């Protein structure tokens, strides 16, 4: 499985910068997880291949460019962009984003080929198929309804925590999975900001270190994501101090294969 954390920002030469402001992963060039930077980080050709987007939760850094992505493609879509999310998240997207105030209600609009956007409700805790992938969505502990994901292409399996603090069901499902090749997990704030991390339900390196003790598997790649750009260097220092040989920080723009 190929997984790319799409860049949020670019330097003057058009190269991806390391700061991650927005969240969007591209899997095997065709399925997106979240859509923070989806409309700004893909070439026109790449955009043409993405019609399935899983939205883990409706926070701005995860959906910022979802309306723009559909808008850009509006007249050319020969099939709708499918937004896969739990019923709760779909209701929040309809109420707070695609509400004719923040942006048009694309789920009611058609171009000459048909509907431009379609919601696909996903179950929690139960496997489902999406394109060539098998997916399980598990509730995690964030300030809005949010799911973590375990995704397999039949050869390799990758777990995505999304945004979360201490959680249980996600780890139980991860530990039940016979083999996990990689875990992409958030580490938002430095240890000095524990209080803010707790109220906004995110990890610090210290709480992440504790949380990883719930993991039964050994040897998988663990990639930290969602580091707040203002504290990136400090968070990396504190992650290094955990002394976990498999733990690294995921690089935006780089394609990882498992
Ligand atoms: Zn969030
Ligand atoms: Zn976030």
């Amino acid at each position: 499985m190929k997984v790319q954390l799409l860049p949020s920002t670019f330097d003057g030469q058009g190269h991806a910068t390391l700061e991650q402001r927005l969240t969007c992963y591209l899997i095997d060039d065709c399925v997106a997880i979240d859509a923070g930077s989806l409309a700004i980080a893909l070439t026109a050709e790449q955009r043409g291949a993405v019609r399935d987007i899983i939205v883990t939760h409706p926070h701005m850094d995860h959906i910022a460019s979802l309306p723009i992505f559909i808008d850009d493609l509006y007249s050319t879509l020969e099939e709708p962009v499918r937004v896969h999310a739990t019923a709760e998240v779909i209701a929040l997207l309809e109420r707070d984003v695609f509400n004719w105030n923040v942006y048009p209600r694309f789920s009611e609009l058609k171009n000459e080929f048909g509907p431009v956007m379609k919601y696909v409700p996903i179950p929690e805790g139960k496997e489902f198929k999406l394109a060539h992938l098998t997916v399980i969505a598990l509730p995690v502990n964030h300030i809005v309804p949010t799911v973590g994901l375990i995704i397999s292409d039949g050869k390799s399996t990758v777990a995505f925590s999304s945004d979360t603090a201490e959680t249980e069901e996600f780890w139980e499902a991860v530990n039940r999975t016979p083999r996990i090749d990689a875990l992409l997990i958030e580490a938002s704030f430095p240890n000095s900001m524990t209080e803010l991390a707790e109220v906004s339900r995110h990890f610090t390196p210290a709480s992440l270190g504790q949380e990883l003790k719930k993991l039964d598997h050994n040897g998988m790649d663990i990639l930290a994501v969602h580091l707040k750009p203002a504290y990136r260097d400090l968070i990396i220092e504190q992650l290094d101090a955990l002394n976990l040989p498999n733990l690294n920080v995921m690089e935006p723009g780089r394609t990882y294969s498992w």
Side-chain angles (χ1 to χ4, degrees):
M1 192 189 316
K2 275 197 319 184
V3 181
Q4 192 185 16
L5 172 61
L6 296 184
S8 306
T9 43
F10 298 86
D11 66 15
Q13 276 78 48
H15 302 300
T17 57
L18 292 176
E19 294 85 9
Q20 186 198 342
R21 295 186 170 80
L22 304 167
T23 293
C24 179
Y25 303 97
L26 186 61
I27 300 184
D28 291 340
D29 300 314
C30 61
V31 174
I33 300 179
D34 290 329
S37 49
L38 189 61
I40 58 177
L42 296 184
T43 63
E45 195 190 343
Q46 288 174 309
R47 265 198 287 271
V50 178
R51 293 295 175 268
D52 291 289
I53 304 165
I54 304 176
V55 176
T56 65
H57 69 297
H59 276 163
M60 185 61 95
D61 51 323
H62 298 252
I63 58 151
S65 75
L66 176 61
I68 309 302
F69 179 77
I70 299 165
D71 197 341
D72 279 349
L73 293 170
Y74 192 94
S75 60
T76 59
L77 285 166
E78 295 182 18
E79 56 179 315
V81 172
R82 291 172 290 273
V83 174
H84 305 260
T86 60
E88 281 170 300
V89 170
I90 291 171
L92 292 170
L93 289 173
E94 281 290 276
R95 189 192 72 182
D96 299 335
V97 181
F98 297 104
N99 55 11
W100 294 113
N101 290 319
V102 174
Y103 230 67
R105 180 153 277 153
F106 282 133
S107 58
E108 290 176 359
L109 296 177
K110 290 186 169 79
N111 66 12
E112 62 171 306
F113 303 104
V116 294
M117 174 185 173
K118 187 182 155 196
Y119 291 110
V120 184
I122 62 174
E124 287 187 3
K126 210 173 129 233
E127 216 170 75
F128 61 93
K129 292 274 181 199
L130 199 169
H132 62 298
L133 304 170
T134 306
V135 183
I136 308 177
L138 288 313
V140 290
N141 175 20
H142 198 34
I143 206 85
V144 286
T146 302
V147 290
L149 302 166
I150 300 173
I151 300 186
S152 175
D153 66 353
K155 294 193 194 83
S156 55
T157 302
V158 179
F160 301 78
S161 74
S162 191
D163 291 7
T164 187
E166 294 74 9
T167 193
E168 298 304 328
E169 273 177 76
F170 177 72
W171 297 116
E172 286 163 15
V174 164
N175 288 335
R176 269 200 308 272
T177 306
R179 182 199 156 109
I180 302 264
D181 297 274
L183 167 67
L184 278 48
I185 186 145
E186 75 126 291
S188 296
F189 291 108
N191 294 335
S192 56
M193 298 178 80
T194 297
E195 207 175 311
L196 181 57
E198 279 172 7
V199 295
S200 59
R201 312 258 181 98
H202 286 293
F203 286 127
T204 61
S207 61
L208 176 59
Q210 286 303 313
E211 190 73 2
L212 288 174
K213 292 180 181 164
K214 296 176 183 171
L215 193 57
D216 288 346
H217 298 294
N218 291 313
M220 68 175 73
D221 285 328
I222 302 177
L223 294 174
V225 295
H226 207 273
L227 283 63
K228 294 281 177 192
Y231 314 105
R232 191 170 187 276
D233 292 344
L234 182 56
I235 297 169
I236 291 174
E237 221 171 86
Q238 295 174 349
L239 288 169
D240 285 345
L242 294 174
N243 269 321
L244 297 170
N246 305 333
L247 174 63
N248 289 291
V249 174
M250 193 169 194
E251 247 176 73
R254 175 172 156 191
T255 299
Y256 294 74
S257 296
W258 289 287

